[in-house]
Coordinates of all heavy atoms in Angstrom, one line a residue:
D1 N 43.7 122.0 195.3 CA 43.8 123.5 195.2 C 43.2 124.0 194.0 O 43.6 125.1 193.4 CB 45.3 123.9 195.3 CG 45.9 123.6 196.6 OD1 45.2 123.6 197.6 OD2 47.1 123.3 196.7
W2 N 42.1 123.4 193.5 CA 41.4 123.9 192.3 C 40.3 124.9 192.7 O 39.9 124.9 193.8 CB 40.8 122.7 191.5 CG 41.7 122.0 190.6 CD1 43.0 121.6 190.9 CD2 41.5 121.7 189.2 NE1 43.6 121.0 189.8 CE2 42.7 121.0 188.8 CE3 40.4 121.8 188.4 CZ2 42.8 120.5 187.5 CZ3 40.5 121.3 187.1 CH2 41.7 120.7 186.6
S3 N 39.9 125.7 191.7 CA 38.8 126.6 191.9 C 37.7 126.0 191.0 O 37.9 125.4 190.0 CB 39.1 128.0 191.5 OG 40.2 128.5 192.3
M4 N 36.4 126.3 191.4 CA 35.3 125.8 190.6 C 34.2 126.9 190.5 O 33.9 127.5 191.5 CB 34.6 124.6 191.2 CG 33.4 124.0 190.5 SD 32.9 122.4 191.0 CE 32.2 122.8 192.6
F5 N 33.8 127.1 189.3 CA 32.7 128.1 189.0 C 31.6 127.5 188.2 O 31.9 126.9 187.1 CB 33.4 129.3 188.2 CG 34.5 130.0 189.0 CD1 35.8 129.5 188.9 CD2 34.2 131.1 189.7 CE1 36.8 130.1 189.6 CE2 35.3 131.8 190.4 CZ 36.6 131.2 190.3
L6 N 30.4 127.5 188.7 CA 29.4 126.9 187.9 C 28.1 127.7 187.9 O 27.8 128.3 188.9 CB 29.1 125.4 188.3 CG 28.8 125.1 189.8 CD1 27.3 125.2 190.0 CD2 29.3 123.7 190.1
I7 N 27.4 127.8 186.8 CA 26.2 128.5 186.7 C 25.1 127.5 186.6 O 25.1 126.5 185.8 CB 26.2 129.5 185.5 CG1 24.8 130.2 185.4 CG2 26.5 128.8 184.1 CD1 24.7 131.3 184.4
T8 N 24.0 127.7 187.4 CA 22.9 126.7 187.4 C 21.7 127.4 188.1 O 21.9 128.3 188.9 CB 23.3 125.4 188.2 OG1 22.1 124.6 188.2 CG2 23.7 125.7 189.7
S9 N 20.5 126.9 187.7 CA 19.3 127.4 188.3 C 18.9 126.5 189.4 O 17.8 126.7 190.1 CB 18.2 127.6 187.3 OG 17.8 126.4 186.8
Y10 N 19.6 125.4 189.6 CA 19.3 124.4 190.6 C 19.5 124.9 192.0 O 20.6 125.2 192.4 CB 20.1 123.1 190.4 CG 19.7 122.0 191.3 CD1 18.4 121.6 191.6 CD2 20.7 121.2 191.9 CE1 18.1 120.6 192.4 CE2 20.4 120.1 192.8 CZ 19.1 119.8 193.0 OH 18.8 118.8 193.8
E11 N 18.4 125.1 192.8 CA 18.4 125.8 194.1 C 19.2 125.0 195.1 O 19.8 125.6 196.1 CB 17.0 126.1 194.6 CG 16.1 126.9 193.7 CD 16.4 128.4 193.9 OE1 17.1 128.8 194.8 OE2 15.8 129.2 193.1
D12 N 19.3 123.7 195.0 CA 20.0 122.9 196.0 C 21.4 122.5 195.6 O 22.0 121.6 196.2 CB 19.2 121.6 196.3 CG 17.9 121.9 197.0 OD1 17.8 122.9 197.8 OD2 16.9 121.1 196.8
A13 N 22.0 123.3 194.7 CA 23.3 122.9 194.2 C 24.3 122.8 195.3 O 25.1 121.9 195.5 CB 23.8 123.9 193.2
E14 N 24.4 123.9 196.2 CA 25.4 123.9 197.3 C 25.2 122.7 198.2 O 26.1 122.1 198.7 CB 25.3 125.2 198.0 CG 25.8 126.4 197.3 CD 25.6 127.7 198.0 OE1 24.4 128.0 198.3 OE2 26.6 128.4 198.3
K15 N 23.9 122.4 198.5 CA 23.6 121.4 199.5 C 24.2 120.0 199.1 O 24.8 119.3 199.9 CB 22.1 121.2 199.6 CG 21.6 120.1 200.4 CD 20.0 120.0 200.4 CE 19.5 118.7 201.1 NZ 18.0 118.6 201.0
Y16 N 24.1 119.7 197.8 CA 24.5 118.4 197.3 C 26.0 118.4 196.9 O 26.7 117.4 197.0 CB 23.7 117.9 196.2 CG 22.3 117.5 196.7 CD1 21.2 118.3 196.4 CD2 22.1 116.4 197.5 CE1 19.9 118.0 196.9 CE2 20.8 116.1 198.0 CZ 19.7 116.9 197.7 OH 18.5 116.6 198.2
I17 N 26.5 119.6 196.5 CA 28.0 119.7 196.3 C 28.7 119.5 197.7 O 29.8 119.0 197.7 CB 28.3 121.1 195.7 CG1 27.9 121.1 194.2 CG2 29.8 121.4 195.9 CD1 28.0 122.5 193.6
G18 N 28.0 119.9 198.8 CA 28.6 119.6 200.1 C 29.4 120.7 200.7 O 30.1 120.5 201.7
R19 N 29.3 121.9 200.1 CA 30.0 123.0 200.6 C 29.4 124.3 200.1 O 29.0 124.4 198.9 CB 31.5 122.9 200.1 CG 32.3 124.1 200.5 CD 33.7 124.0 199.9 NE 34.3 125.3 199.7 CZ 35.4 125.6 199.0 NH1 36.1 124.5 198.6 NH2 35.9 126.8 198.8
R20 N 29.3 125.3 200.9 CA 28.8 126.6 200.5 C 29.8 127.3 199.6 O 31.0 127.2 199.8 CB 28.4 127.5 201.7 CG 27.2 127.1 202.4 CD 26.8 128.1 203.5 NE 26.4 129.4 202.9 CZ 25.2 129.6 202.4 NH1 24.2 128.6 202.4 NH2 24.8 130.8 201.9
A21 N 29.3 127.9 198.6 CA 30.2 128.7 197.7 C 30.8 129.9 198.4 O 30.2 130.4 199.3 CB 29.5 129.1 196.5
D22 N 32.0 130.2 198.0 CA 32.7 131.4 198.6 C 32.0 132.7 198.2 O 31.9 133.6 198.9 CB 34.2 131.4 198.2 CG 34.9 130.2 198.8 OD1 34.9 130.0 200.0 OD2 35.5 129.5 197.9
K23 N 31.5 132.6 196.9 CA 30.7 133.8 196.4 C 29.6 133.2 195.6 O 29.7 132.1 195.0 CB 31.6 134.6 195.5 CG 32.6 135.5 196.2 CD 33.4 136.3 195.2 CE 34.5 137.1 195.9 NZ 35.2 137.9 194.9
N24 N 28.5 133.9 195.5 CA 27.3 133.5 194.8 C 26.7 134.7 194.2 O 26.2 135.6 194.9 CB 26.3 132.8 195.7 CG 25.1 132.3 195.1 OD1 25.0 132.4 193.8 ND2 24.1 131.9 195.9

């Protein structure tokens, strides 16, 4: 039940994290 917030310029971040962000 954690939340995660990350700032990055890496375009494929969501792809490799394995889940689309709730907000971007």
